[in-house]
Amino acid sequence: MPRSVSRPYDFDAYMTGQTAIYEHAFSDTSTFIDNARTNWKRRMKYEERQPAYTAVHFNLMVGGMRLWSDPTYPAHYADEPDAWEGFSTGAHVIVSDSGVLVEAACDLFEMKTRRPIEGDAVYIDYLETFRQHGSNGVFPAQDWQDALHIALSDPDIAGFSWGAEEQPYQNHYMTKPIISYGFSTVITAIKPYLSAISRSDWAPFWRIETTAEFSDGWRRP
């Protein structure tokens, strides 16, 4: 199943998505929409690809397990002991509306050996550093029930918030405040992933997927 499907070069699709998000989140969207339009023009100033393209991104799997798309691990630099290294994994295709494959790319991984996680020195070192570093999208747990319990008791580990109350909002582009509508955080999935614990070692972790549900019932895609 695709991780995401988008129309990355389609201005109308982009503005439709931006408008939907801001209309449900704020009482006045004019400033956000103007900024979105300006940002699009800046990002696409030199883009030559056509609007009629669809991009599909996939998670990779090794040994029947998904690979986390943005793994990070302790770098262990002598001069920067708190530094972490990271990279991205995945596969994607870009297809035109006429069915032509415009672009395809895939990172390649091979599982060479397996070893028990219990008592593993690399894993133990990773966990000790992880507790100081905080969430990087995935976190350790025994199973999905344990992952849910950890996330509910310490949302920072899972990388999500409980939501927000309705309140006034104003940024430097605005001449007067507007209302930022409140929302609740809804858990939509609990999934296992393999993520890096060193440059060449991976271990199982869990990901709590969430979305924001606003007072009118609309959920952020």
Side-chain angles (χ1 to χ4, degrees):
M1 178 179 292
R3 184 171 76 227
S4 66
V5 179
S6 64
R7 303 277 288 181
Y9 315 110
D10 187 332
F11 174 73
D12 291 337
Y14 168 77
M15 291 304 298
T16 295
Q18 293 292 298
T19 300
I21 292 172
Y22 291 126
E23 282 183 344
H24 292 279
F26 296 96
S27 59
D28 186 334
T29 66
S30 56
T31 299
F32 300 106
I33 298 304
D34 288 344
N35 286 344
R37 187 178 292 107
T38 300
N39 289 337
W40 174 272
K41 292 179 180 178
R42 183 185 303 115
R43 289 191 296 111
M44 295 297 170
K45 184 176 182 179
Y46 302 106
E47 180 57 64
E48 297 180 354
R49 280 175 279 199
Q50 302 177 27
Y53 286 166
T54 297
V56 186
H57 291 260
F58 301 89
N59 283 115
L60 298 183
M61 298 188 72
V62 173
M65 284 281 288
R66 300 181 193 87
L67 300 186
W68 179 232
S69 58
D70 299 294
T72 59
Y73 55 90
H76 293 302
Y77 298 141
D79 57 341
E80 290 187 66
D82 295 330
W84 282 54
E85 289 189 357
F87 55 97
S88 62
T89 71
H92 79 270
V93 295
I94 297 177
V95 183
S96 72
D97 288 354
S98 60
V100 175
L101 180 62
V102 177
E103 179 179 298
C106 179
D107 298 305
L108 298 178
F109 290 84
E110 178 186 4
M111 184 181 293
K112 294 185 176 180
T113 61
R114 292 175 180 261
R115 64 180 188 267
I117 197 172
E118 290 78 15
D120 183 78
V122 178
Y123 183 66
I124 291 172
D125 175 74
Y126 175 90
L127 292 185
E128 291 177 351
T129 311
F130 172 83
R131 294 187 183 99
Q132 303 172 9
H133 182 267
S135 174
N136 63 344
V138 292
F139 61 96
Q142 295 296 319
D143 50 36
W144 74 265
Q145 293 99 329
D146 186 42
L148 179 59
H149 175 76
I150 291 172
L152 293 177
S153 59
D154 190 352
D156 289 341
I157 291 180
F160 68 87
S161 65
W162 289 116
E165 298 292 331
E166 182 175 300
Q167 58 186 316
Y169 176 86
Q170 184 174 9
N171 61 30
H172 64 280
Y173 295 106
M174 299 174 177
T175 58
K176 60 182 180 180
I178 60 176
I179 299 299
S180 173
Y181 297 133
F183 66 89
S184 300
T185 297
V186 178
I187 294 175
T188 57
I190 306 174
K191 296 179 180 179
Y193 285 90
L194 290 176
S195 188
I197 57 175
S198 76
R199 185 178 296 274
S200 58
D201 299 303
W202 295 64
F205 294 90
W206 290 86
R207 165 72 171 173
I208 303 287
E209 296 184 359
T210 65
T211 189
E213 180 175 288
F214 291 84
S215 57
D216 59 2
W218 183 79
R219 291 187 177 186
R220 189 187 297 270

